[in-house]
Amino acid sequence: MSALEQHVEHRRHVTKVATPQPSILLGDAVLKWYDIAHEDAPVPIAIRALARRCLRDARKSGTLGVGDGLGFVILHRCEEDFYFLLVSTWRNENELWETVWAKSGEADVFFRPWPCDGTHRPTFCVWELGAVAHERVAWTTFLRSARDESARRAYLRSIYHGAV
């Protein structure tokens, strides 16, 4: 068996669940919120509260840089105590911009920006893409609308909940 076959054999893909949570207001930006985790090991409330606090603190200090507008956050429980916190905003009408933070175990007291070296960088994993796919459709619907307050509210109400 090749090394690739052994790797694939060892790592079986499992289903996770995207669960919407209340949106977060960061200055003039309104971001929908999704927790992604195994159904039997959801994101703990304390971790979600910490993630929200870290984002609010970063916005107040000017280190988050999301600006205004609309978007979404994904809090992904990757392993028992490793989390990615992905902050995505829509810019220039058709672009999705992303800030990546992470928390790895109890040693990380807070979520921190995720360092990424090199020119070829990761974006979303297969589980996160479930929420991203929904958000692409919701944003496209908004772009094709009158883009008024009613359309803005409709975008914010359009959420995904289910298997990813």
Side-chain angles (χ1 to χ4, degrees):
M1 187 179 292
S2 73
L4 176 60
E5 290 169 329
Q6 289 174 358
H7 177 75
V8 170
E9 180 70 23
H10 176 72
R11 298 204 33 124
R12 295 284 180 197
H13 183 74
V14 297
T15 299
K16 292 187 179 184
V17 176
T19 307
Q21 301 297 329
S23 296
I24 186 168
L25 180 63
L26 297 172
D28 292 329
V30 181
L31 308 177
K32 300 186 231 181
W33 191 286
Y34 294 97
D35 285 353
I36 294 180
H38 294 283
E39 190 168 23
D40 59 347
V43 172
I45 294 170
I47 295 293
R48 185 181 321 112
L50 175 65
R52 287 175 175 272
R53 188 177 91 204
C54 287
L55 292 180
R56 286 187 182 110
D57 290 350
R59 203 266 325 150
K60 287 178 187 173
S61 70
T63 58
L64 186 58
V66 296
D68 61 359
L70 301 170
F72 57 95
V73 173
I74 295 173
L75 177 55
H76 182 179
R77 185 176 194 174
C78 302
E79 298 170 3
E80 181 65 28
D81 61 356
F82 182 86
Y83 299 85
F84 271 123
L85 181 60
L86 311 171
V87 182
S88 299
T89 57
W90 295 106
R91 294 198 178 161
N92 302 322
E93 294 185 2
N94 63 339
E95 298 173 357
L96 184 61
W97 287 49
E98 180 187 37
T99 300
V100 179
W101 287 26
K103 180 182 180 330
S104 182
E106 292 181 19
D108 274 342
V109 178
F110 301 107
F111 281 84
R112 303 178 192 286
W114 181 255
C116 193
D117 297 327
T119 57
H120 197 57
R121 301 170 183 216
T123 58
F124 299 102
C125 78
V126 68
W127 292 289
E128 296 153 359
L129 284 171
V132 173
H134 171 85
E135 288 301 314
R136 184 200 69 80
V137 171
W139 187 248
T140 302
T141 301
F142 174 79
L143 290 177
R144 292 180 177 142
S145 74
R147 301 186 198 178
D148 57 8
E149 187 57 32
S150 175
R152 186 176 183 272
R153 284 193 306 272
Y155 168 76
L156 291 170
R157 282 192 311 269
S158 178
I159 55 173
Y160 179 75
H161 184 211
V164 291

